[in-house]
């Protein structure tokens, strides 16, 4: 697994010498494994690490994950920056989801957008050059299929591991686990005795991703290697897409870089319809 990650880092030129690397760490097996591996392979790159964690405010779930992250980063002597929804948005995810309108909007479609912003804020606070995300081969294959189903070509472009920098942002985003199967990540975590949160987020089942995951797992069981083929196909498609470049401006509400007049985060916050007096 470590050799595979090193090969991915070198094939897609993910790290530059001396990069200050923020590792997005949730407390699950993927992100703690990524931290463990980068801790081993980053010294030759002259790089230092900081862990970046988002506390969404999910009672009975995120609290345990935070404890695991704190203990693991202390063990590896890696500093930790935590940003919470409560601090950024003034509410926890549990509270926000009770207020969401319309009700059928899935938790992940709101939370995913709010998480991305929270991670950007954590990266800015830490002053990192690059944010490493624990996006594995299974995640990649699922995202490709989901974006195809949604006809979202722009997002398919972003599946190319070589494309790292979004306009307006200081830090690049890299995905060093993108060629490692989720099962291999789990095995790595067990063999290296990495304590991770095994429980799934209570809201995960609301997302179409769960159905796509089950579908791909059943295909992979009958046709081993199909996820890897999808990964290669995604890169080919991404590199051959004639997507018009979109101009990045600033969100008129929050001032963050955005390709739309109102950014995704502000639109997600509108769906939550926060009623602070409740
Ligand atoms: S699974 Fe969905 S709701 Fe849960 S933390 Fe992830 S994005 Fe948020």
């Amino acid at each position: 697994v470590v050799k595979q990650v090193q090969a991915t880092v070198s094939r897609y030129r993910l790290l530059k010498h001396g990069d200050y690397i923020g590792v997005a760490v949730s407390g699950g097996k993927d992100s703690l494994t990524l931290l463990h591996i980068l801790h081993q392979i980053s010294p030759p790159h002259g790089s230092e690490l900081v862990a970046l964690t988002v506390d969404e405010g999910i009672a009975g779930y995120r609290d345990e994950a935070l404890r695991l992250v704190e203990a693991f980063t202390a063990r590896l002597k890696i500093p930790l920056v935590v940003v919470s929804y409560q601090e950024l948005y003034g509410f926890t995810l549990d509270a926000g989801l009770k207020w969401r309108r319309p009700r059928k909007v899935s938790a992940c479609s709101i939370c995913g957008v709010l998480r991305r912003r929270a991670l950007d804020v954590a990266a800015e606070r830490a002053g990192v050059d690059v944010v490493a995300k624990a996006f594995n081969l299974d995640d990649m294959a699922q995202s490709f299929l989901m974006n195809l189903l949604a006809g979202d070509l722009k997002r398919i472009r972003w599946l190319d591991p070589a494309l790292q920098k979004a306009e307006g942002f200081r830090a690049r985003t890299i995905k060093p686990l993108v060629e490692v199967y989720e099962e291999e990540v789990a095995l790595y975590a067990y063999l290296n005795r990495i304590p991770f949160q095994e429980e799934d987020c209570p809201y995960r089942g609301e997302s179409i991703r769960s159905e796509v995951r089950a579908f791909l797992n059943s295909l992979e069981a009958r046709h081993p290697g199909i996820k890897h083929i999808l990964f290669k196909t995604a890169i080919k498609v991404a590199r051959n897409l004639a997507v018009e470049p979109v101009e990045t401006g600033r969100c008129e509400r929050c001032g963050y870089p955005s390709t739309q007049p109102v950014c995704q985060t502000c639109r997600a916050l509108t769906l939550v319809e926060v009623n602070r007096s409740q």
Side-chain angles (χ1 to χ4, degrees), residues 56 58 61-62 85 93 97 107-109 111-112 115 201-204 207:
E56 304 90 349
I58 304 173
Y61 170 71
R62 184 52 76 210
Y85 283 12
L93 184 67
L97 290 178
C108 292
S109 54
C111 177
R115 270 184 68 80
C201 170
Y203 301 115
R204 182 163 132 163
S207 153

Side-chain angles (χ1 to χ4, degrees), residues 110-230:
I110 295 174
C111 177
V113 174
L114 301 184
R115 270 184 68 80
R116 272 201 294 282
R117 169 62 56 84
L119 196 57
D120 289 339
V121 171
E124 272 172 23
R125 283 187 191 166
V128 297
D129 302 304
V130 52
V131 176
K133 293 188 179 173
F135 193 80
N136 62 41
L137 182 61
D138 290 59
D139 296 325
M140 168 72 154
Q142 290 155 21
S143 295
F144 179 48
L145 213 52
M146 286 165 64
N147 290 329
L148 273 183
L149 293 172
D152 195 336
L153 301 185
K154 263 186 284 170
R155 281 179 191 243
I156 290 178
R157 281 278 291 132
W158 280 104
L159 293 177
D160 182 353
L163 203 67
Q164 297 158 25
K165 183 95 186 180
E167 220 179 292
F169 289 93
R170 178 182 181 273
R172 307 174 339 258
T173 298
I174 60 167
K175 295 157 187 161
L177 294 182
V178 77
E179 293 183 273
V180 184
Y181 279 95
E182 186 176 1
E183 278 181 352
E184 292 172 332
V185 176
L187 193 58
Y188 180 96
Y190 280 118
L191 291 177
N192 286 282
R193 297 192 167 78
I194 298 174
F196 62 86
Q197 187 174 42
E198 299 194 33
E199 205 186 316
D200 275 340
C201 170
Y203 301 115
R204 182 163 132 163
E206 291 184 13
S207 153
I208 189 177
R209 188 177 279 275
S210 308
E211 292 172 52
V212 172
R213 176 185 292 114
F215 170 64
L216 284 175
N217 285 347
S218 72
L219 271 186
E220 179 78 28
R222 279 178 280 130
H223 310 281
I226 206 148
K227 291 177 190 170
H228 215 268
I229 294 171
L230 268 181

Side-chain angles (χ1 to χ4, degrees), residues 167 247-251 256-264 267:
E167 220 179 292
E247 212 172 301
T248 305
R250 296 266 160 194
C251 169
Y256 248 69
S258 171
T259 52
Q260 312 270 335
V262 177
C263 72
Q264 277 192 319
R267 280 183 279 148

